[in-house]
Amino acid sequence: MNTTVIGLGKMGRALAAALVARGHDTTVWNRTPGRAGDLAVTNAQTAADAVAANELVILCLLDFESVVDVLDGVELTGRTIVNLTTGTPAEAAKLSALVTGRGAAFLDGGIMAIPSMIGSPAAVVLYSGDEQAFRRAQDVLSAFGDRRYLGAEPGLAALNDIAMLTGMYGMLGGFVHAAAMVRTEGVPVVEFTETLLIPWLRAMFPALVDMAGQIDSGDYTAEESDLAMQVANDGIGEVSRAQGVSTELSDPLFALMRRRVEQGHGGDDFPSVIELLS
Ligand SMILES: NC(=O)c1ccc[n+]([C@@H]2O[C@H](COP(=O)([O-])OP(=O)(O)OC[C@H]3O[C@@H](n4cnc5c(N)ncnc54)[C@H](OP(=O)(O)O)[C@@H]3O)[C@@H](O)[C@H]2O)c1
C-alpha cells in the first residue's frame, strides 16, 4: 500500500524512513521544504498533492491546530487519514468528525516511542477509530513497530496515550525524589539506580496487576500492607527534610493516603486512593 506522510519533523521523518526501509513507495510533504533530505521518497509540492497521491495518508505534525490547518480545503474523499499527532480525546473526536464528514476514513494514533525507536518492536503505537481502515492499513502501520487497536471511539488512543504518560511521570517523579535523597550522601545516582532502584521497581511491577484487579472489582481489602500502616509514620517526609530534600512531589500523594484513612479506609490497600480521584 503506497503511503503519504505529512510532517517531517523528528517523528514524521522517522515514520517516513521506516516506511521506506520496508520498501513502501512513500510520498511526503512538509511545510518547510527540504526536510526529506536523502530519504528515497517522492516530495509533493503541496499538502493537497500529497493527499491526492495515495489512499493512506499519515499525519504527524506539532499539534491539533497544525493538522486542521494542513487539511483545510484539501480533497479527502476516499482517503484513509491516520493522525499520529499527539492530542486529546476531544481533539481526536473533532478531527474524526471533520475527516469523515469530508468522505474519508479516520484513525487516530498515539505513538509510545521516541523517533530512534520507530521501526523496532519496542515502539508501540496505539490506534482508535475506523476498524475496517485499521485492518486495511495495519500491514503498513506495522513498519513503525507494535500496533494496538483499542476500539472505534476515536479518542481511545489519545486517552490511553495520556494515561500511559501519566503513569510514566509518576515513576519519574519518584525517581528524581529518590535520587535527590541518595545524592545528599554522595551516593552515585547511576549506581543506586542500577543496583537498587531498578531491581526494586521490577520486583514491584507484578503487584500493579493485583492492584488493577482491586480497582476493577472495587474490593480494596488489604492482605499485606494496609493504608493505615503505610501512613503510620512519615518516613519519606522525615528523611527528606533531614537530608534537605523537598517533599513537594510526595506530599500530595501522602495527603490523599491520609485522607482515605481518616475517612475510615485504613484497612484498604493503596489503590483505594483512586476513589478520591474519581
Ligand atoms: N519526538 C518525540 O519524541 C515524540 C514522541 C511521541 C510522539 N510525538 C508526537 O509527534 C508529533 C510530532 O513531533 P516531532 O517531534 O516530530 O515535532 P517537531 O520535530 O517539532 O516537528 C513538528 C512538525 O510539525 C510541522 N508543523 C508545525 N506547525 C505547523 C503548521 N501550522 N502547519 C504545518 N506544519 C506544521 C513542522 O513543520 P516545519 O518543519 O515546517 O516546522 C514539523 O514537520 C507531536 O505531536 C509529538 O507530540 C513525538
Side-chain angles (χ1 to χ4, degrees), residues 7-12 29-32 35 60-63 66 69-70 84-86 111 113-115:
L8 294 177
K10 291 175 281 299
M11 185 54 88
W29 180 82
N30 191 65
R31 177 181 62 178
T32 306
R35 289 279 153 82
C60 188
L61 297 168
L62 189 63
D63 54 15
S66 46
D69 275 0
V70 164
L84 296 185
T85 306
T86 305
I111 301 175
I114 56 174

Side-chain angles (χ1 to χ4, degrees), residues 25-51:
D25 282 339
T26 305
T27 298
V28 299
W29 180 82
N30 191 65
R31 177 181 62 178
T32 306
R35 289 279 153 82
D38 57 4
L39 269 185
V41 293
T42 302
N43 282 284
Q45 292 302 308
T46 64
D49 290 347
V51 172

